[in-house]
C-alpha cells in the first residue's frame, strides 16, 4: 500500500511538472493570445524533445508500430502509448551524436503525462489513434507543409477530396492543445470552425494547403504557423537597437512601426505591449524574421530588377490533384529520409503517407516520362547529326549546355552585381570626402588660393578707402565749421551797424538760413560704425548736425551741403551789392568784411 501510494504521488508530481515549469516561464505577460499560445506550445515541444523528431521519422514510427492498419476511432491504452513513445525516442537517440543524447525516460514521462492530461481528461486510461496521430504530427519537428500533407492524407477519401467530418474531427483534437496550455477561450473549438475555414464544397490538397498556409491563416489555427516561425527565428540576430528597452541587439522577431520612422521593437517589448514616445500600440507593426544589411538590400533590389530573383514565390509547391495509387509496402523497408530532403513528394496510401522519389510510380506519369525521354533522345540525336565530329558519341547523354549557359549567365550577373556595389561604394566615399573639405585640400587647390588672395586684397583696399573717406569727411566738416563761424560774425556786425534797418533783414534772413540746410541735409550722416575721433576738432552746429539722427549717405550729404554753401555765398554777394543807399563808412566796412570773408573762404 505504501509503495502504491508513493508511485501515485510520484506520478502526480511528474504529471504537474511540465505545467509548473511552463508557468515559471511567465508566458502570461504576453499581451497577444496568438503569440502566448505559440510560445507555450513551443516550450512544451522543446521540453519534451519533440522538436528533434522529424515528421518523416514520426510517420515511420506510426508504421513500425502498426498504427496505419488501425481505424482512427480505435483506442489504445496508456501502456501501448508509452511503448510507442519509447520507440520514437530510442530511435531518435540512435540518430543523434553521442554528445547530444537526450534523457529518454524523462522525455517519455513528460510527453506521456501531457498527452494524457490533454486527451484523457476523464481518466479512462485510453486514447484514440486519431488523437495520438493528430497531436504527435502537429507537435513534432519538420516543415509545416509536410505536416499538413500528412494530415490531409488522414482526412481525405480515396479520390483525394477532403471529408468535412474528418476535418471537423481533426479540429476537435488539435484544438485541445491550446486548451491544455490554458488558452481555450481564445482558440477553443466551435461548430462553425469548419465552414469558417473552408466555405467551398470540394477541397483538394492544394486548396487545403493554400488556406492553412495563407497570410493570415484561419483564426482557430493561427498559432500553428506562428509556432513554426518561432522555431525558425530563435537564433536570428538583428544588429538593431530596440527603441524601448535600448537593447543594442535583437534575437528572434523584429517589429518595425509603419507610422513612426525608425521605431523598432524587439519581440519581448512588442509581445508585452511596451511603447514610448509618439508610438502607440494601435500603430501597425511589420514583423521581420531576418536581417538584411543595406548593401544586401540594394543587391537584392538590383537582382530583382535584372530578373535574377523571382518577384513572388508560392507558399508551397503545387501537387497533383488526383489521388495516387496506393502501393503494397508490407514487405518493404523504407529508408530514412534526410533532414534536408523533406520536399520530396508523398504517396497517400490508405494508412500513412510514405516518402518516395520525385517521380511518382503511377502509370500515367510513367508513360509521360517515357515520352519525354524519347523526345529528348531524338533532339540529342538531331543535334549530334548536325554538329561536327569533334565530340565523341558517348558524350551525347551528358549534354549540359543549357545548364552551363545558365551558370555562366548567373556568374556574369553576380560579377556585374559585384561591380555595381563596388562602384556605389566608391561614389559614396567620394561624396563623403567632397562634402568635408580640409585645409590640406584648400592648399592643394591653386584656384581657391587665388580667390582667397583677391578677397584679402579687396578687403584691404576697401578699408583704406574707408579711412580716406573718413578723413575727407573730417576735413570738410572743419571747413564748414569755419565758414559758419565767419558768416555768424558777419551777421552780428551787420546787425550792430544797421541798427534794425530794413535793408539788413534779407542779410539777416540769409545768415540765419545758412545753417539750416546743412542741418537738415547732413543730420544723421555719420554712420553708426564711424569712430568718434572723426569729429575731433569740430564743434558747434556742424558737430550737432553730423553727430545725430538716422544714418544716411555721406556722399549725398556732402553734395547737398556744398550746394547750400554755394547758394548762401551767392545770396551774400547779392546782398553786399544791393546796399548803395547806406553810408560810405558802412559800405566800406561791409566790403572790407566781405573781402575778409572771401579770403577766409578761399583759404579754407
Amino acid at each position: 500500500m505504501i509503495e502504491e501510494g508513493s508511485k501515485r504521488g510520484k506520478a502526480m508530481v511528474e504529471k504537474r511538472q511540465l505545467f509548473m515549469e511552463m508557468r515559471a516561464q511567465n508566458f502570461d505577460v504576453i499581451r497577444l493570445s496568438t503569440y502566448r499560445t505559440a510560445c507555450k506550445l513551443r516550450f512544451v515541444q522543446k521540453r519534451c524533445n519533440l522538436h528533434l523528431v522529424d515528421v518523416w521519422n514520426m510517420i515511420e514510427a506510426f508504421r513500425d508500430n502498426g498504427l496505419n492498419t488501425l481505424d482512427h476511432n480505435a483506442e489504445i491504452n496508456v501502456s501501448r502509448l508509452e511503448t510507442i513513445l519509447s520507440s520514437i525516442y530510442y530511435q531518435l537517440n540512435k540518430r543523434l551524436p553521442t554528445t547530444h543524447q537526450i534523457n529518454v525516460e524523462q522525455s517519455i514521462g513528460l510527453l506521456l503525462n501531457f498527452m494524457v492530461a490533454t486527451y484523457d481528461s476523464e481518466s479512462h486510461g485510453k486514447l484514440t489513434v486519431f488523437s495520438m496521430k493528430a497531436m504527435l504530427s502537429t507537435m513534432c519537428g519538420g516543415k509545416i507543409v509536410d505536416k499538413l500533407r500528412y494530415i490531409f492524407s488522414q482526412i481525405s477519401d480515396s479520390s483525394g477530396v477532403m471529408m468535412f467530418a474528418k476535418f471537423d474531427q481533426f479540429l476537435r483534437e488539435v484544438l485541445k492543445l491550446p486548451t491544455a496550455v490554458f488558452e481555450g477561450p481564445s482558440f477553443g473549438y466551435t461548430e462553425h470552425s469548419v465552414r469558417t475555414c473552408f466555405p467551398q464544397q470540394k477541397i483538394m490538397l492544394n486548396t487545403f494547403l493554400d488556406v492553412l498556409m495563407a497570410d493570415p491563416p484561419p483564426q482557430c489555427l493561427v498559432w500553428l504557423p506562428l509556432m513554426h516561425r518561432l522555431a525558425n527565428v530563435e537564433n536570428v540576430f538583428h544588429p538593431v537597437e530596440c527603441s524601448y528597452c535600448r537593447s543594442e541587439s535583437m534575437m528572434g522577431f523584429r517589429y518595425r512601426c509603419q507610422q513612426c520612422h525608425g521605431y523598432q521593437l524587439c519581440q519581448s517589448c512588442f509581445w508585452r505591449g511596451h511603447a514610448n514616445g509618439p508610438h502607440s500600440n494601435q500603430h501597425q507593426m511589420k514583423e521581420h524574421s531576418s536581417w538584411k544589411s543595406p548593401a544586401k538590400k540594394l543587391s537584392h533590389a538590383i537582382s530583382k530588377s535584372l530578373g535574377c530573383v523571382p518577384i513572388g514565390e508560392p507558399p508551397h509547391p503545387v501537387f497533383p490533384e488526383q489521388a495516387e495509387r496506393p502501393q503494397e509496402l508490407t514487405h518493404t523497408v523504407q529508408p530514412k529520409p534526410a533532414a534536408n530532403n523533406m520536399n520530396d513528394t508523398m504517396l497517400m496510401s490508405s494508412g500513412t503517407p510514405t516518402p518516395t522519389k520525385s517521380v511518382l510510380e503511377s502509370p500515367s506519369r510513367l508513360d509521360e516520362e517515357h515520352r519525354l525521354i524519347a523526345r529528348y533522345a531524338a533532339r540529342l540525336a538531331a543535334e549530334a547529326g548536325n554538329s561536327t565530329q569533334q565530340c565523341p558519341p558517348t558524350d551525347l547523354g551528358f549534354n549540359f549546355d543549357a545548364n552551363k549557359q545558365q551558370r555562366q549567365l548567373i556568374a556574369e550577373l553576380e560579377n556585374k552585381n559585384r561591380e555595381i556595389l563596388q562602384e556605389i561604394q566608391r561614389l559614396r566615399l567620394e561624396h563623403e570626402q567632397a562634402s568635408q573639405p580640409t585645409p590640406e585640400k584648400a592648399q592643394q587647390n591653386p584656384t581657391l588660393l587665388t580667390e582667397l588672395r583677391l578677397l584679402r586684397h579687396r578687403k584691404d583696399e576697401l578699408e583704406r578707402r574707408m579711412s580716406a573717406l573718413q578723413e575727407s569727411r573730417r576735413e570738410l566738416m572743419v571747413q564748414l565749421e569755419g565758414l559758419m563761424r565767419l558768416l555768424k560774425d558777419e551777421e552780428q556786425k551787420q546787425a550792430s551797424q544797421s541798427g534794425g534797418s530794413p535793408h539788413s533783414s534779407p542779410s539777416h534772413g540769409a545768415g540765419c538760413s545758412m545753417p539750416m540746410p546743412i542741418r537738415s541735409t547732413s543730420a544723421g550722416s555719420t554712420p553708426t560704425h564711424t569712430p568718434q575721433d572723426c569729429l575731433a576738432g569740430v564743434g558747434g552746429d556742424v558737430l550737432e548736425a553730423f553727430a545725430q539722427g538716422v544714418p544716411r549717405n555721406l556722399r549725398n550729404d556732402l553734395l547737398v551741403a556744398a550746394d547750400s554753401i554755394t547758394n548762401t555765398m551767392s545770396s551774400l554777394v547779392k546782398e553786399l551789392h544791393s546796399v548803395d543807399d547806406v553810408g560810405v563808412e558802412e559800405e566800406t566796412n561791409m566790403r572790407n568784411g566781405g573781402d575778409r570773408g572771401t579770403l577766409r573762404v578761399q583759404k579754407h
Side-chain angles (χ1 to χ4, degrees), residues 462-473:
L462 290 176
E463 289 178 352
R464 289 192 299 269
R465 185 176 179 183
M466 179 62 70
S467 300
L469 288 175
Q470 289 176 358
E471 185 65 24
S472 300
R473 178 175 179 269

Side-chain angles (χ1 to χ4, degrees), residues 431-496:
H431 176 71
E432 292 177 355
Q433 294 175 359
S435 61
Q436 298 179 357
T438 59
E440 292 77 7
K441 292 182 180 179
Q443 294 177 2
Q444 295 175 2
N445 193 343
T447 305
L448 184 59
L449 290 175
T450 305
E451 292 180 358
L452 290 175
R453 284 194 295 268
L454 291 176
L455 288 176
R456 291 194 188 100
H457 180 71
R458 180 63 175 169
K459 179 183 177 183
D460 297 337
E461 182 181 354
L462 290 176
E463 289 178 352
R464 289 192 299 269
R465 185 176 179 183
M466 179 62 70
S467 300
L469 288 175
Q470 289 176 358
E471 185 65 24
S472 300
R473 178 175 179 269
R474 181 180 176 279
E475 294 176 357
L476 181 60
M477 291 175 69
V478 171
Q479 293 177 8
L480 288 175
E481 177 66 21
L483 182 59
M484 291 179 68
R485 190 181 301 110
L486 177 63
L487 293 176
K488 284 185 178 182
D489 294 341
E490 194 68 33
E491 179 181 303
Q492 291 177 0
K493 290 180 181 181
Q494 290 178 7
S496 61

Side-chain angles (χ1 to χ4, degrees), residues 8 89 166 185 202 204 220 222 250 354 413 434 472 572:
R8 290 178 181 177
Y89 284 114
K166 287 283 189 180
K202 184 178 180 180
M204 307 297 288
C220 59
V222 68
M250 302 182 189
T354 306
L413 293 176
S472 300
L572 180 60

